[in-house]
């Protein structure tokens, strides 16, 4: 009986934690949207650190301006005020831009970055792999495609397959100009994804 009571207590605590996290996420979403931004991602790190990644809301038919330090400071100040009023328990708040390898989460993100090089991780293994990299395309019925690419290695005299690797970072990813399609396409829906991120564009050309 005691063991059963402990199990029920643990389940109740877990449910309360989930509700608490969702409440904070909802507060962040409402606050930053009211300021003209979008909360791309929220991370609950160790020692009470709360990280919020923001971007500007994209105008219709246009590209949003880049996030500045002033934007981050403005959002941080407002969130700090909201958290005080709502008695949110946290130790430290960090607000920053999503970075070059920004995550793609919503359908609007995928539409916005169609044609860009993206790295995805599937929920289920496909052909022995879960991670794929390629050029993002828009498909019918609300689905998306990934035109798989090869990275061009001039030093080797030809292309090499750009296979995703798990674990150690492999350094900067190639630009779209440094890759070419393999002729294969992977079609997927958002509910089949575990995660998706842009592949950063790195320009190694020497400055004149």
């Amino acid at each position: 009986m005691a063991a059963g009571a402990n199990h029920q207590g643990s389940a109740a605590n877990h449910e309360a934690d989930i509700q608490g996290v969702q409440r904070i996420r909802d507060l962040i979403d409402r606050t930053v949207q009211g300021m003209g931004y979008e909360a791309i991602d929220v991370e609950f790190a160790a020692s009470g650190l709360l990280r919020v990644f923001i971007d500007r809301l994209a105008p219709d038919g246009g590209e949003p301006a880049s996030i500045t330090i002033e934007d981050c400071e403005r959002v941080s100040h407002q969130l700090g005020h909201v958290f005080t009023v709502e008695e949110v328990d946290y130790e430290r708040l960090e607000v920053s831009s999503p970075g070059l390898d920004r995550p793609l989460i919503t359908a609007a993100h995928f539409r916005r970055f169609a044609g860009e090089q993206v790295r995805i991780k599937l929920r289920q293994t496909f052909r022995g792999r879960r991670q794929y990299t390629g050029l993002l395309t828009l498909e019918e019925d609300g689905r998306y495609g990934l035109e798989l690419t090869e990275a061009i290695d001039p030093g080797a005299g030809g292309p090499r397959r750009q296979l995703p690797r798990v674990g150690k970072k492999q350094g900067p990813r190639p630009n779209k100009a440094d890759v070419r399609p393999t002729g294969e396409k992977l079609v997927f829906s958002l509910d089949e994804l575990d995660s998706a991120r842009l592949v950063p564009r790195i320009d190694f050309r020497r400055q004149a």
Side-chain angles (χ1 to χ4, degrees):
M1 183 66 70
N6 289 337
H7 177 73
Q8 291 176 358
S10 298
N13 290 336
H14 179 66
E15 181 64 26
D17 289 342
I18 294 176
Q19 292 178 357
V21 168
Q22 188 59 51
R23 172 176 172 265
I24 295 174
R25 288 182 179 273
D26 290 343
L27 280 174
I28 292 171
D29 284 338
R30 290 199 302 270
T31 301
V32 302
Q33 286 180 13
M35 302 174 69
Y37 303 98
E38 177 186 9
I40 299 298
D41 201 6
V42 178
E43 292 182 359
F44 297 84
S47 303
L49 173 61
L50 180 58
R51 292 193 181 99
V52 180
F53 300 90
I54 63 170
D55 199 0
R56 294 183 185 275
L57 293 174
D60 292 338
E63 184 73 13
S66 299
I67 290 294
T68 66
I69 294 177
E70 289 74 18
D71 292 319
C72 296
E73 291 176 343
R74 180 169 174 248
V75 172
S76 179
H77 177 77
Q78 185 63 24
L79 284 176
H81 174 70
V82 171
F83 290 166
T84 298
V85 172
E86 298 292 336
E87 299 182 344
V88 173
D89 185 18
Y90 73 102
E91 292 295 327
R92 188 158 56 95
L93 173 65
E94 289 183 0
V95 178
S96 64
S97 70
L100 295 177
D101 62 340
R102 59 164 290 159
L104 306 183
I105 300 173
T106 67
H109 295 165
F110 281 80
R111 290 193 298 269
R112 173 181 168 186
F113 292 103
E116 296 291 335
Q117 194 176 10
V118 173
R119 181 170 58 254
I120 68 171
K121 183 177 181 181
L122 301 171
R123 293 184 184 274
Q124 302 293 331
T125 300
F126 178 71
R127 293 183 179 177
R129 293 164 48 191
R130 292 178 61 198
Q131 298 189 62
Y132 289 86
T133 302
L135 302 181
L136 180 64
T137 64
L138 303 179
E139 305 296 324
E140 296 180 351
D141 301 325
R143 292 169 67 82
Y144 305 91
L146 201 67
E147 294 182 351
L148 305 185
T149 56
E150 293 177 328
I152 300 173
D153 185 359
R160 58 180 173 82
R161 286 299 300 271
Q162 181 182 342
L163 297 178
R165 303 194 179 198
V166 180
K168 295 181 180 179
K169 293 184 178 180
Q170 302 299 314
R173 301 284 180 171
N175 298 324
K176 287 197 295 184
D178 299 325
V179 300
R180 63 185 179 188
T182 65
E184 296 181 291
K185 178 186 285 189
L186 176 65
V187 179
F188 58 90
S189 58
L190 294 189
D191 59 7
E192 294 175 299
L193 291 185
D194 182 66
S195 63
R197 285 184 175 274
L198 283 183
V199 175
R201 294 190 192 183
I202 308 295
D203 190 350
F204 293 104
R205 290 175 297 180
R206 292 183 180 180
Q207 299 296 324

